[in-house]
């Protein structure tokens, strides 16, 4: 029999928050932040601008394409930006949604994690947000 005893300086609330974040992150395909262009700063005063600079569409897009950005500020130690791109100009992917997490660092916000999921066009895969590939 093996008995493990440990202690942590994390409160139960902090542990629950971390578990929730891990659960949320599991619903997204992680983005390798280290591969983001060095021309785009990962730290700044405006996380929405950082998120759009990295993941937003730079060119005009045909059809009914639109981007919707929301910012969750419920936690003073973390800010979550969600960027949804709907009516994606692709024959299989209909919508893409990014989850971009920031933490405060030196009076600015620093990007620490990002992930994405997608929704497929009818007949091309899942009609719900998923990490599964559209076909």
């Amino acid at each position: 029999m093996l008995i493990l005893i440990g202690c942590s300086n994390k409160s139960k609330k902090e542990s629950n928050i971390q578990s929730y974040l891990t659960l949320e992150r599991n619903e997204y395909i992680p983005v390798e932040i280290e591969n983001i262009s060095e021309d785009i700063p990962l730290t700044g005063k405006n996380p929405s601008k950082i998120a759009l600079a990295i993941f937003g569409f730079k060119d005009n897009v045909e059809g009914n394409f639109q981007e919707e950005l929301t910012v969750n500020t419920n936690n003073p130690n973390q800010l979550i930006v969600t960027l949804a791109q709907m009516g994606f100009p692709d024959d299989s992917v209909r919508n893409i949604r990014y989850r971009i997490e920031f933490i405060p660092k030196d009076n600015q916000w620093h990007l620490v994690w990002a992930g994405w999921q997608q929704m497929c066009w009818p007949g091309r895969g899942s009609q719900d947000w998923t990490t599964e590939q559209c076909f």
Side-chain angles (χ1 to χ4, degrees):
M1 175 171 28
L2 176 64
I3 299 175
L4 297 175
I5 300 175
C7 61
S8 170
N9 59 358
K10 284 187 177 182
S11 70
K12 186 171 184 171
K13 183 177 179 181
E14 287 175 327
S15 183
N16 288 342
I17 290 171
Q18 190 58 45
S19 295
Y20 175 75
L21 290 176
T22 301
L23 176 64
E24 288 286 310
R25 285 180 178 182
N26 286 340
E27 297 175 7
Y28 290 80
I29 299 168
V31 171
E32 295 181 11
I33 295 173
E34 60 275 2
N35 291 338
I36 294 173
S37 171
E38 292 180 10
D39 297 336
I40 301 173
L42 302 181
T43 301
K45 296 278 186 189
N46 189 330
S48 297
K49 282 186 179 181
I50 295 170
L52 285 170
I54 297 169
F55 300 108
F57 248 79
K58 314 304 184 257
D59 301 319
N60 290 335
V61 182
E62 298 175 10
N64 295 324
F65 178 81
Q66 53 184 304
E67 290 184 311
E68 180 180 298
L69 189 129
T70 58
V71 180
N72 180 332
T73 58
N74 292 338
N75 180 349
N77 296 315
Q78 181 186 43
L79 188 135
I80 299 172
V81 174
T82 304
L83 174 63
Q85 298 169 329
M86 293 149 309
F88 206 74
D90 185 85
D91 63 348
S92 57
V93 177
R94 181 178 185 177
N95 304 323
I96 294 179
R97 180 167 59 186
Y98 296 95
R99 175 188 172 94
I100 307 122
E101 299 177 8
F102 294 85
I103 60 169
K105 181 179 179 182
D106 300 327
N107 292 326
Q108 297 190 71
W109 290 100
H110 179 70
L111 190 151
V112 293
W113 190 88
W116 64 278
Q117 55 187 192
Q118 62 190 7
M119 187 181 293
C120 307
W121 286 105
R124 298 299 212 152
S126 178
Q127 300 299 291
D128 296 317
W129 292 111
T130 184
T131 58
E132 295 175 17
Q133 187 173 7
C134 299
F135 51 91

